Every structure is written in structure tokens, then in C-alpha cells.
Amino acid sequence: MASKISLIVPCYNEQESLPIFHLEAGKVLKEIGCDYEFIFVNDGSRDDTLSVMKQLAEWDEHVTWISFSRNFGKEAAMYAGFCNADGDYVAVMDADMQDPPSLLPEMLHLLESGEYDSVAARRVNRKGESPVRSWFARRFYRLINAISDADIVDGARDFRLMKREMVEAIIEMSEYNRFSKGIFGWVGFRTCWYPYENVERVAGETKWSFWKLFKYAIDGIINFSQAPLDLASWGGIGMTFVAFLFLIVIVVRRLVFGDPVAGWASIICVIIFIGGVQLFYLGIMGQYIAKTYMETKHRPHYIISETNRDGVKKVR
Ligand code: UDP
Ligand code: MG
């Protein structure tokens, strides 16, 4: 029997969803019958999420809340949760009920069978999501799995119940640019994929615009693959080869047909094209350099302004 379960809940403007989540998850945990804690992380919400958290903590001694000094993003909120959760089993869950608490007993059961170190929820469909978004999401998973050695499963959410050992490994991965789907895969351990039907949010709206998601995808690729850098080398070799062929053609043409001055347009096209390709590759390198720059600064992942728990490290 599990002695303690910690549920980490990153919250950004979730004043409507959070009480519902707390109620539903609380029911499930009571039924399971082991010790548990909620770790609500207020990620600089602009609504009344923090007061809702404080209220819930007054009613329920299982609630710990941590409040950031500003919005640091879901990744930072999850990291803060991991660093402060002390359960033997730990899960990250969204406040919007898209990670159904009703899956917890079965997930726990699978973990306790001893065969796995983590049980991860995986959406088998993307009901309620726009087709364009789904299409891009699928392409992203294809691509990142082809070019990186972290195993990143399509439809996987951040929702997974894991054992202490895995949590410790995740805390050790203290990189500044965090991409949890990659980190979970990278640390390894035996993972069981638990399929379920997608659920739509109970209240509020998604914080992920298409553009934000796109940038997140690019971050994921840059954080877990060096393939884009290789692209520059291979592209360069390819172009050199093509240029060499052109050279031969031009020399032969000069010798055989003489040299009527022509081809101004084609030269301009080639120059612009090559300029574009070079800028593109420079941009890729810039992305990696920017990441390296941020990592070397060793800035904290988050700053906590308030919490109801003793002994929490405020800056980390
Ligand atoms: N979230 C957060 N900080 C942010 C954005 C989101 O803590 O800057 C939380 C949000 O409150 C929710 C979870 O991350 O609990 C997932 O966000 P959302 O439901 O908007 O994403 P989606 O489910 O649409 O991918
Ligand atoms: Mg959601």
C-alpha cells in the first residue's frame, strides 16, 4: 500500500476549475485510503486563484500552496512541485480536469504491481481540439522521435504517477530550459502507457495559443536533439556539390558555345536563395547559442513569494 501520494497542480488563472478539481480528486484519494497531499502552485495568476487556494487550505489540511512572484510558466510550476512534494508516489495534474482524477486508482494499482516505475496517461484521441492543431501536434511527435533519443509518445500528457526514484531523477535534471515530456522520457525507467479518451476543460480556457504551442514544440526539438545543427553541415555539403556541377556546366558552355552575356536573373535568384539558406542556418545556431546562454546564467527556475508550508526554498 502506498504510504503517501502527492498531486502537483500548476495553476494559472484557474479560479473556477480549482475547487472542482480539489473536490473530485479529494474524493478519489479518500476512496484509495492512503495519505495524500495537494501541492497547488500558483503561477502568477491574474485572477483569484491564490485566494481560492488559501480558502481550500483552510478547509483541507492536505493542501499546500506555493505562490510564484510572477508567471514563470507551467514547466517551472511543475519543477517547484517536484522539489517540494514528499510523497512516495507523485503525479502532476492539470487543474482543469483534463487529467481525470478517476484514473488514479487504476494507475496506482498498476504501479503497485511492481512491474512499472511510472504510469503515464495517454490520450487516444484529440476530441474537441481543432484539426489544424492536431495535425501539427502529430507532425511534431513524428519529427521529434525521429531526431532525438528521448522517447516522446504522441498524446502523452504531463499526467503520470511516478515513484520516488523517478522524481529524484527529474529533480536532478535542473536545466533551465525545461521540456518535461522529453525529461520524463530521457530519465528512462519502466513506463506503462495508460490510454484514455480526451476530456475537455471544465471551466476557463486554454493558456496555449497556437503560436505559444508552436514555440514550445521548437523548444522541445532544440532541447532534445542536435539534428538541426547537423542539417547545416549536410545542407552545406549538398550545396557545394550542386555549385560544383554548375561550375562544370558553365565552363563547358563557355568553351563550346562562347559567352553571350546572359543569366542576370538566374544569378540574382541563386544569390538570394543561398543568402536565405545561410540566414536560416544561422538562425538555428542562434537558437542553440541562446539556450546555452540562458543555461550558463544559472538563473533560478522560479521565485516563491508566499506559501503555507514551512521549509520551502523560496528561490530555486
Ligand atoms: N499553466 C501554468 N502556467 C502557465 C500556463 C498554464 O501553470 O503559464 C497550467 C494551467 O493552469 C493548467 C495546466 O498548466 O493547470 C495546463 O494548461 P492548459 O489547460 O491551458 O493547457 P492544455 O490542457 O490546453 O494543453
Ligand atoms: Mg488543459
Side-chain angles (χ1 to χ4, degrees), residues 14 74 94-99 157 199-201 205-208:
E14 302 283 4
K74 184 184 178 188
D94 285 7
D96 59 10
M97 301 290 288
Q98 282 193 294
D99 300 328
R157 298 189 49 94
V199 191
E200 288 177 55
R201 252 183 180 274
E205 52 193 43
T206 176
K207 277 91 208 172
W208 294 90

Side-chain angles (χ1 to χ4, degrees), residues 100-172:
S102 55
L103 302 184
L104 279 171
E106 187 57 27
M107 289 166 94
L108 183 65
H109 185 71
L110 281 164
L111 264 195
E112 301 216 299
S113 73
E115 253 177 87
Y116 303 105
D117 300 302
S118 84
V119 180
R122 183 178 156 255
R123 297 189 285 182
V124 286
N125 59 4
R126 291 174 170 272
K127 194 184 89 205
E129 201 181 57
S130 88
V132 182
R133 191 177 271 220
S134 301
W135 189 85
F136 273 99
R138 288 214 185 80
R139 293 287 93 60
F140 165 71
Y141 284 108
R142 271 262 179 88
L143 179 66
I144 194 156
N145 278 309
I147 61 177
S148 109
D149 36 297
D151 182 21
I152 299 169
V153 174
D154 186 4
R157 298 189 49 94
D158 293 329
F159 178 27
R160 59 167 85 201
L161 188 63
M162 40 199 147
K163 287 191 178 160
R164 191 78 239 163
E165 292 80 9
M166 187 161 171
V167 175
E168 295 299 331
I170 291 166
I171 295 173
E172 278 305 305

Side-chain angles (χ1 to χ4, degrees), residues 178-228:
R178 299 185 74 75
F179 182 70
S180 283
K181 290 185 201 330
I183 291 176
F184 294 161
W186 194 92
V187 296
F189 293 98
R190 298 163 301 171
T191 299
C192 169
W193 293 102
Y194 191 80
Y196 77 105
E197 299 262 316
N198 191 31
V199 191
E200 288 177 55
R201 252 183 180 274
V202 281
E205 52 193 43
T206 176
K207 277 91 208 172
W208 294 90
S209 64
F210 181 80
W211 181 233
K212 216 171 150 190
L213 216 51
F214 184 76
K215 283 204 293 202
Y216 187 59
I218 299 279
D219 270 355
I221 292 172
I222 304 240
N223 285 338
F224 279 92
S225 169
Q226 265 116 52

